[in-house]
Amino acid sequence: MKRILGVLAALVLLPAFGTTAFAEATGKECADTVKLFRDAGESASYFGKSYGYAVFPTIGKAGLGIGGAHGSGCVYVNGKQVGTAKMTQLSFGWQAGAQGYSLIVFLEDERAFKDFTSGEFEFGAKASAVAITAGASAGAGTSGAGAGASGGKKDAATAGGFYKGTALFTIIKGGLMYEASLAGAKFSYKKL
């Protein structure tokens, strides 16, 4: 059943984003995306208080009833790349559209880093990210903290902080996605 759903999600994603989301992220793409997040309001402050982070330059997301998302990125500790990662998401529920976005996952401490790099790290359906562009959706985090969406790439606001050792921020690249779905994101890691 999982294999069938995976194939369906891939078929939904391919026409929407071609091969961009499925290609391996390059070091330059990762570095350019890190710079965007460093220049983006409150997400910038997390670089100084995080043990490490994973950045995904392009994640393609699409759905119509059943949806999915996929992207690859780079993992850093103390500003130095130590590995690569892939994110895959499958979602069920009311959803329609396609969207591309960049994602950064800040890892608060060594424990959070080890959890993330265990190879099978997964965010549950209630994990949320702070969206950094206008018109993007931002939900309250599972810790009860609020989150906000702002007017431009250089603004971000969140009343929360780390939740279970991670903090997530996104920058919407394009597209439009309407959804009220249940989804979890799974990450894999490969050491350099």
Side-chain angles (χ1 to χ4, degrees):
M1 183 67 171
K2 281 186 177 182
R3 176 174 255 148
I4 291 170
L5 293 175
V7 169
L8 287 173
L11 290 174
V12 169
L13 284 171
L14 276 173
F17 292 100
T19 59
T20 304
F22 292 98
E24 293 291 320
T26 66
K28 181 177 179 353
E29 290 170 325
C30 289
D32 290 347
T33 305
V34 166
K35 182 173 179 358
L36 282 176
F37 282 105
R38 282 191 187 277
D39 293 342
E42 188 154 333
S43 65
S45 70
Y46 281 78
F47 286 95
K49 55 186 172 184
S50 298
Y51 180 83
Y53 51 91
V55 64
F56 298 85
T58 301
I59 293 178
K61 178 179 184 178
L64 185 60
I66 296 173
H70 182 79
S72 65
C74 306
V75 180
Y76 296 84
V77 172
N78 296 321
K80 181 183 177 202
Q81 186 178 354
V82 297
T84 59
K86 291 186 180 189
M87 188 284 290
T88 304
Q89 180 184 48
L90 205 53
S91 55
F92 305 93
W94 192 92
Q95 56 193 313
Q99 188 173 61
Y101 62 95
S102 298
L103 170 71
I104 192 162
V105 179
F106 289 102
L107 306 165
E108 183 175 26
D109 51 29
E110 188 173 7
R111 179 202 50 81
F113 175 79
K114 285 182 179 178
D115 285 348
F116 186 85
T117 59
S118 68
E120 294 300 319
F121 184 81
E122 191 167 350
F123 283 119
K126 293 185 180 181
S128 66
V130 176
I132 301 181
T133 59
S137 63
T142 55
S143 63
S150 61
K153 285 187 177 180
K154 297 203 179 266
D155 296 320
T158 179
F162 286 102
Y163 177 70
K164 293 188 176 181
T166 61
L168 289 75
F169 290 85
T170 61
I171 295 176
I172 307 303
K173 296 177 95 171
L176 187 58
M177 186 83 178
Y178 296 100
E179 65 181 321
S181 60
L182 184 62
K186 191 170 195 172
F187 295 83
S188 61
Y189 171 76
K190 183 178 177 186
K191 188 176 181 178
L192 286 182

